[in-house]
Amino acid sequence: MTTPLVDPHGRVVRDLRISVTDRCNFRCTYCMPEEGMTWLPRSEVLTFEEIERVARICVERYGFGSIRLTGGEPTVRAHLPLLVEKLAGLGVDLAMTTNGATLRLLAADLRRAGLNRVNISLDSLRAERFEALTRRNALADVLDGIDAAVEAGFSPVKVNCVLIRGVNDDEAIAFAEFGRRRGVVIRFIEFMPLDADGAWSAASVVPAAEVVSTIDAVYPLEPVASGSAPAERWRYRDGGGEIGVISSVTNSFCGTCDRVRLTAEGQFRNCLFAVRETDLRAVLRGGGSDDDVAAAVEAEVGRKWAGHSIGQVTFVRPDRSMSQIGG
Ligand code: SAM
Ligand code: SF4
């Protein structure tokens, strides 16, 4: 018997984002500094058993329906398929966001272990620009990783692309063509003020509406009726597949938000932009019962705000960057 977990604004929380590591094999400019990242000591990172316990409580008590693994880069966590296998046993929609660089090695194992869906991040199709953005010469590996995900049977494979004004905003059409050719769904995500070096400005955001109209002018689009998912879906009128746009800045989807997050070191957050969090690891390692864990989860959800205020003077940047929260 599950009881829905309802926040103070009447939204039912049913989606858990789990960061399985703070480490990463890339250093994307909009996410991490080039040098000087200090990683959490392994002892501070939640074990697979601890992660599974939190997930189980969320699913069994509150009927959570989806879990997404993220990071840092989730695939650098050793034995990731074992965690996937444990979480798949909970019977929820299990997804992962990855930079894709090592998917050639892992995609089939992850699929076999019970991963349902995969999103691969890719912000440029030009090798030099890709290297400037990620500080890694790995475009070929990521493209091969996308192929590996398709071959492993993930369907549809989604590719997340953050367009930044003056950096890669001239690639919208190239991405559309890439998606049509490879049979993957490109999701354009607006640049958010969660970059490690604080370079974000409103002027650097490429609005989702602009991306839609740029692509529509070349490959006509029509909207797909969608539920509460943040991605607004559009399909090509000629049947060439679809794209998604995530207008997290220009048109926040906070009103339908159903998410909470668990960081790699066990901090429980009620929003990507939250400026406070609950130390669930202390409860887990302090001998807390499932009731204690659930009480901490409920208390944090009880503090969930109506929404972020990016673009307004009241907006306060969280201390953590995207890789530390788990995007
Ligand atoms: N390493 C994995 C990856 O890159 O897909 C998972 C973690 S990453 C933090 C999750 C997603 O957040 C990626 O799609 C990345 O492009 C996105 N991201 C990181 N920093 C961002 C920012 N400042 N604004 C918008 N998206 C961002
Ligand atoms: Fe790593 Fe993903 Fe951040 Fe890039 S966006 S540095 S791949 S965690």
Side-chain angles (χ1 to χ4, degrees):
M1 174 65 187
T2 62
T3 313
L5 188 55
V6 184
D7 77 15
H9 308 278
R11 298 165 296 195
V12 177
V13 176
R14 42 177 292 113
D15 179 71
L16 177 63
R17 306 269 155 147
I18 302 173
S19 174
V20 298
T21 179
D22 60 327
R23 293 172 198 236
C24 188
N25 44 1
F26 284 14
R27 292 290 180 282
C28 300
T29 49
Y30 59 70
C31 180
M32 286 191 187
E34 182 165 17
E35 284 170 34
M37 285 301 289
T38 43
W39 309 124
L40 293 165
R42 285 184 198 285
S43 61
E44 290 189 18
V45 174
L46 292 191
T47 63
F48 286 175
E49 289 68 29
E50 289 167 333
I51 291 173
E52 185 194 11
R53 185 169 171 212
V54 175
R56 183 176 48 73
I57 290 169
C58 290
V59 173
E60 289 180 357
R61 300 208 174 199
Y62 309 118
F64 277 37
S66 50
I67 294 178
R68 178 173 293 272
L69 303 180
T70 176
E73 172 48 40
T75 60
V76 305
R77 177 89 190 237
H79 314 299
L80 186 67
L82 287 181
L83 175 65
V84 167
E85 207 175 295
K86 284 176 187 290
L87 298 177
L90 298 173
V92 295
D93 177 35
L94 187 58
M96 178 177 78
T97 304
T98 171
N99 65 28
T102 61
L103 269 188
R104 173 56 67 191
L105 299 172
L106 273 171
D109 284 351
L110 291 168
R111 179 90 185 136
R112 254 194 308 274
L115 189 69
N116 302 118
R117 297 186 294 119
V118 69
N119 289 48
I120 299 161
S121 304
L122 175 62
D123 303 322
S124 179
L125 293 162
R126 303 184 194 178
E128 273 174 38
R129 187 179 280 172
F130 178 95
E131 185 168 351
L133 276 166
T134 62
R135 302 188 179 107
R136 295 292 182 270
N137 176 10
L139 176 60
D141 294 332
V142 175
L143 294 176
D144 188 41
I146 293 172
D147 287 343
V150 173
E151 287 161 25
F154 290 103
S155 177
V157 168
K158 295 185 180 173
V159 170
N160 288 358
C161 175
V162 179
L163 292 181
I164 303 175
R165 184 75 72 206
V167 174
N168 59 349
D169 54 336
D170 53 352
E171 290 194 58
I173 298 295
F175 269 102
E177 290 172 346
F178 174 81
R180 289 165 61 88
R181 208 168 47 241
R182 299 229 182 183
V184 299
V185 175
I186 310 292
R187 298 162 84 240
F188 295 95
I189 302 174
E190 288 178 351
F191 183 31
M192 294 182 273
L194 291 170
D195 51 322
D197 47 12
W200 184 92
S201 74
S204 56
V205 177
V206 181
E210 178 185 321
V211 178
V212 171
S213 72
T214 302
I215 295 175
D216 178 61
V218 182
Y219 299 105
L221 292 164
E222 62 189 6
V224 180
S226 69
S228 67
E232 222 184 299
R233 295 167 59 193
W234 295 79
R235 77 178 144 235
Y236 295 109
R237 289 180 188 268
D238 67 3
E242 58 175 79
I243 64 163
V245 286
I246 305 191
S247 51
S248 25
V249 177
T250 59
N251 183 18
S252 106
F253 41 83
C254 302
T256 54
C257 179
D258 61 358
R259 294 182 192 165
V260 284
R261 296 168 185 272
L262 185 63
T263 70
E265 78 272 47
Q267 296 288 331
F268 189 74
R269 299 173 64 86
N270 63 29
C271 175
L272 192 51
F273 296 94
V275 285
R276 57 151 295 156
E277 47 199 20
T278 289
D279 188 356
L280 266 196
R281 189 185 64 197
V283 183
L284 295 167
R285 296 193 181 170
S289 64
D290 283 5
D291 283 345
D292 295 331
V293 175
V297 164
E298 287 178 22
E300 189 56 51
V301 168
R303 284 187 285 266
K304 194 166 158 103
W305 54 18
H308 66 69
S309 52
I310 300 174
Q312 296 165 32
V313 282
T314 49
F315 179 67
V316 181
R317 262 184 91 104
D319 294 338
R320 291 163 168 275
S321 66
M322 195 72 150
S323 71
Q324 294 166 318
I325 299 168

